[in-house]
Amino acid sequence: MKKDFLTGRELREQDIYHLFDLTKTYKTSRRKKRFTSLLKNHTIGLIFNKPSTRTRVSFQLAVEELGGRALYLSGDTIQTSRGETVKDTASVLSRYLDGLVIRTYKQEEVEEYAQWCLFPVINALTDFLHPCQALADYFTIWELNGTLKDIKLLYIGDSNNVCNSLIIGADILGVKIMVASPENYQPRDEVLSLVKNRDIVVVDTDPLKFVPEADVIYTDTWISMGDEKEVEERKKIFQPYQVNKKLLAEAKKNFIFMHCLPAHRNWEVTDEVIDSKNSVVYQQAENRLHCQKSLLHFLYSG
Ligand code: CP
Ligand code: NVA
């Protein structure tokens, strides 16, 4: 049976640790050019209805370094932009391709592709979730700490797709996640209803309550793709949530600063923090490539 990666819930805790080990191998062997032929004779389509730097480039490379071919399909150039249905598109692409990576607006659209496609479908970000990001983020924390046991992750800002996927990942992996967001921008039932162990998620409006105990401090943009109409309003509401030196005054000395990127520098995070020695944002971005190879390995082997 084909496997999809739509919410992150497709992976159990033991699968994730298996992927982490595999990711380490892919990461260390990359420069030795010892690529596998896992995707030989496979063509994977990349449909992007929103901009992307990291996800697009890392998936294209991951597919090609595993011996496959990646076909970039910009959303505005395919017939879905003129109203062709997902069912027709997926049914036709099923006769050409061997997989689809999709970035779009509605989570339901990715799920509908998965329903009609005869091959694996991977969620490369929707308004609701960004599971590939969370996979690489937890790998990065594990890589730096050697374990996820007793890790406390503080997410500050808008409870968006990235925050939702970090919550789901925390639930699977048993990581404690603290979310500090303004009222009306806190995690919704839509995501909380997917959480099995509600004790692992704590939500408050005040980031300072959580800063001293956080091992990882994570933020993301206040204006996700699709939220552009609310820029001025959001800038005002989120200003107290800017991750800056003052907000971090009581933080642990060795906390890790994370951001999925792209960052709006000096909005949600100051240069001083994102460029500090605590910041691991480029390592995090690099790990997208290695983790996605493991994910493809999981989806295409056995
Ligand atoms: N973090 C992330 O998904 O970045 P891109 O939007 O550049 O793909
Ligand atoms: N929350 C951001 C993530 C970008 C990778 C967005 O959806 O725009």
Side-chain angles (χ1 to χ4, degrees), residues 15-32:
D15 298 323
I16 296 180
Y17 282 110
H18 174 65
L19 291 199
F20 284 178
D21 286 333
L22 199 57
T23 299
K24 236 167 93 178
T25 307
Y26 275 127
K27 187 167 181 174
T28 48
S29 64
R30 181 164 188 245
R31 296 291 168 202
K32 296 181 197 138

Side-chain angles (χ1 to χ4, degrees), residues 204-266:
D204 203 284
T205 50
D206 184 4
L208 293 176
K209 265 194 190 161
F210 299 133
V211 164
E213 57 177 312
D215 302 294
V216 180
I217 298 181
Y218 198 123
T219 192
D220 183 18
T221 181
W222 301 334
I223 296 127
S224 285
M225 293 176 274
D227 292 334
E228 290 81 0
K229 278 196 209 115
E230 300 167 23
V231 174
E232 289 315 315
E233 187 190 342
R234 281 174 172 261
K235 272 180 81 176
K236 262 192 230 125
I237 292 169
F238 285 104
Q239 194 54 49
Y241 293 81
Q242 183 188 67
V243 181
N244 55 37
K245 241 184 147 178
K246 188 168 166 236
L247 187 115
L248 299 180
E250 301 293 321
K252 288 186 180 179
K253 192 165 162 279
N254 294 325
F255 80 93
I256 296 169
F257 173 74
M258 300 183 86
H259 190 309
C260 59
L261 303 180
H264 289 72
R265 281 171 171 260
N266 301 310

Side-chain angles (χ1 to χ4, degrees), residues 13-279:
E13 186 178 8
Q14 63 264 41
D15 298 323
I16 296 180
Y17 282 110
H18 174 65
L19 291 199
F20 284 178
D21 286 333
L22 199 57
T23 299
K24 236 167 93 178
T25 307
Y26 275 127
K27 187 167 181 174
T28 48
S29 64
R30 181 164 188 245
R31 296 291 168 202
K32 296 181 197 138
K33 308 279 181 210
R34 278 208 319 256
F35 304 144
T36 70
S37 51
L38 178 84
L39 294 180
K40 194 166 176 243
N41 299 325
H42 285 57
T43 303
I44 312 295
L46 312 177
I47 297 183
F48 279 72
N49 291 329
K50 290 176 173 176
S52 170
T53 299
R54 281 143 287 269
T55 310
R56 176 187 169 182
V57 173
S58 57
F59 261 115
Q60 179 141 4
L61 286 178
V63 168
E64 290 177 3
E65 292 182 10
L66 292 176
R69 180 185 8 209
L71 193 63
Y72 179 66
L73 301 161
S74 171
D76 56 352
T77 65
I78 57 173
Q79 294 287 16
T80 46
S81 66
R82 297 180 55 250
E84 184 167 21
T85 64
V86 167
K87 179 182 183 224
D88 289 345
T89 309
S91 304
V92 171
L93 293 180
S94 285
R95 290 167 182 248
Y96 298 142
L97 302 175
D98 304 286
L100 263 186
V101 172
I102 308 178
R103 168 169 289 196
T104 194
Y105 293 85
K106 289 198 162 76
Q107 177 72 18
E108 295 74 20
E109 186 180 334
V110 177
E111 290 180 4
E112 198 184 345
Y113 268 103
Q115 182 190 335
W116 297 112
C117 284
L118 300 176
F119 45 57
V121 171
I122 298 174
N123 180 353
L125 180 147
T126 62
D127 292 344
F128 181 44
L129 295 173
H130 197 359
C132 297
Q133 181 69 53
L135 185 62
D137 294 341
Y138 283 112
F139 171 76
T140 305
I141 301 168
W142 176 81
E143 180 182 43
L144 286 162
N145 277 277
T147 177
L148 291 177
K149 198 172 158 346
D150 300 327
I151 289 291
K152 291 184 184 173
L153 191 163
L154 166 58
Y155 180 93
I156 301 177
D158 185 19
S159 303
N160 57 20
N161 43 12
V162 170
C163 178
N164 289 343
S165 283
L166 289 171
I167 290 174
I168 291 175
D171 186 36
I172 299 171
L173 292 162
V175 170
K176 179 167 180 194
I177 184 161
M178 306 171 287
V179 180
S181 306
E183 272 172 36
N184 300 326
Y185 296 89
Q186 297 183 346
R188 296 177 192 278
D189 282 347
E190 199 184 6
V191 66
L192 294 177
S193 63
L194 298 176
V195 172
K196 293 186 181 146
N197 178 5
R198 282 296 300 274
D199 294 343
I200 61 112
V201 194
V202 191
V203 181
D204 203 284
T205 50
D206 184 4
L208 293 176
K209 265 194 190 161
F210 299 133
V211 164
E213 57 177 312
D215 302 294
V216 180
I217 298 181
Y218 198 123
T219 192
D220 183 18
T221 181
W222 301 334
I223 296 127
S224 285
M225 293 176 274
D227 292 334
E228 290 81 0
K229 278 196 209 115
E230 300 167 23
V231 174
E232 289 315 315
E233 187 190 342
R234 281 174 172 261
K235 272 180 81 176
K236 262 192 230 125
I237 292 169
F238 285 104
Q239 194 54 49
Y241 293 81
Q242 183 188 67
V243 181
N244 55 37
K245 241 184 147 178
K246 188 168 166 236
L247 187 115
L248 299 180
E250 301 293 321
K252 288 186 180 179
K253 192 165 162 279
N254 294 325
F255 80 93
I256 296 169
F257 173 74
M258 300 183 86
H259 190 309
C260 59
L261 303 180
H264 289 72
R265 281 171 171 260
N266 301 310
W267 289 23
E268 72 270 11
V269 58
T270 56
D271 284 339
E272 209 174 16
V273 172
I274 199 170
D275 294 329
S276 70
K277 64 173 181 25
N278 299 76
S279 173

